[in-house]
Amino acid sequence: MNPTKPEQSASPELAAMSEARRKLIRAGLATGPVIATLASPSVFAIDCVAPSQTLSAAKSHATTQLGSCSAPDSCDTWKSRLGNSGCTAQEATWRDTKFHTVFTQQSGSTGCHMFKTGSNGVATPMSFYEVLALTDSSSGVQIARQFVAAYLNICANKVLFPVGGSSTQAKSAQAVVDMWNEWAIKGSYTPYAGATAWDGTKVGHYLTYFVP
């Protein structure tokens, strides 16, 4: 499916995000490490910005390294893949990975850890697959699913990084985790110093398309 660019959407919020993205590019945000595609990118590819990108880091790069990426896999696609009995060994590992062992919170708060209550009344931590399989439509649950899918898309090389970029797969995966830590504590995410904080809609759009 062709990922919808913010500028293609009729939503005022996403249109504003598109304008913000253009300002970031003009300011130099897009000149640092970005996420690029596989060797044969889709004709529907879009420009993607690495989650570890910061304005100060971008200004230190003299050359533009703007890449593009095809649409990463969705939450439901990852749920189907990890729930498949024929999944790979790596996918089985991701399936059973506990959410809170990756998406930790530096504050030590457990308020946004994902738990389920068993028949014995004891709360146990949820796995990546269990979080992806949640059907609760609340924004808190849905954004947790989006964080898992974004993390897996980076770890599975669904989005790749340009040669010469200072960002690595591990750093970008950690940046998604750091984004969760800030979101879980504040209910918003500020992409760089002085920027307007992103609300849930903007964070969710970024996690889905890697486009601010």
Side-chain angles (χ1 to χ4, degrees):
M1 179 181 294
N2 182 3
T4 302
K5 293 185 180 180
E7 56 267 31
Q8 294 174 331
S9 171
S11 166
E13 285 192 344
L14 296 188
M17 289 164 62
S18 177
E19 176 58 25
R21 175 170 174 258
R22 286 191 288 270
K23 289 180 179 178
L24 294 181
I25 292 174
R26 289 196 295 269
L29 179 64
T31 63
V34 294
I35 298 176
T37 59
L38 297 170
S40 300
S42 164
V43 294
F44 301 121
I46 57 176
D47 294 334
C48 286
V49 181
S52 56
Q53 191 70 288
T54 64
L55 188 61
S56 60
K59 288 183 175 179
S60 68
H61 289 74
T63 58
T64 299
Q65 297 176 343
L66 188 62
S68 61
C69 68
S70 301
D73 287 342
S74 68
C75 298
D76 288 337
T77 297
W78 275 111
K79 179 186 72 173
S80 177
R81 180 174 293 124
L82 301 191
N84 188 333
S85 59
C87 66
T88 66
Q90 179 59 75
E91 289 168 342
T93 297
W94 287 330
R95 177 191 63 209
D96 299 330
T97 297
K98 300 303 182 185
F99 181 92
H100 80 277
T101 64
V102 174
F103 292 96
T104 56
Q105 292 181 44
Q106 295 175 356
S107 68
S109 170
T110 59
C112 289
H113 290 178
M114 305 299 289
F115 288 90
K116 63 179 180 180
T117 303
S119 57
N120 58 359
V122 177
T124 57
M126 300 180 73
S127 66
F128 275 176
Y129 174 74
E130 289 171 327
V131 171
L132 289 168
L134 289 171
T135 58
D136 188 332
S137 61
S138 67
S139 59
V141 167
Q142 291 306 310
I143 205 163
R145 296 177 75 234
Q146 290 172 316
F147 268 103
V148 171
Y151 179 84
L152 292 175
N153 278 319
I154 292 173
C155 292
N157 288 327
K158 297 295 180 181
V159 285
L160 300 180
F161 311 95
V163 174
S166 63
S167 183
T168 64
Q169 182 186 52
K171 286 181 179 179
S172 288
Q174 182 59 47
V176 169
V177 173
D178 294 340
M179 185 184 293
W180 164 265
N181 289 337
E182 184 174 336
W183 165 262
I185 295 170
K186 298 180 179 179
S188 63
Y189 173 72
T190 303
Y192 61 89
T196 299
W198 292 357
D199 61 11
T201 298
K202 293 179 175 65
V203 170
H205 188 274
Y206 178 81
L207 293 171
T208 300
Y209 302 119
F210 289 101
V211 179

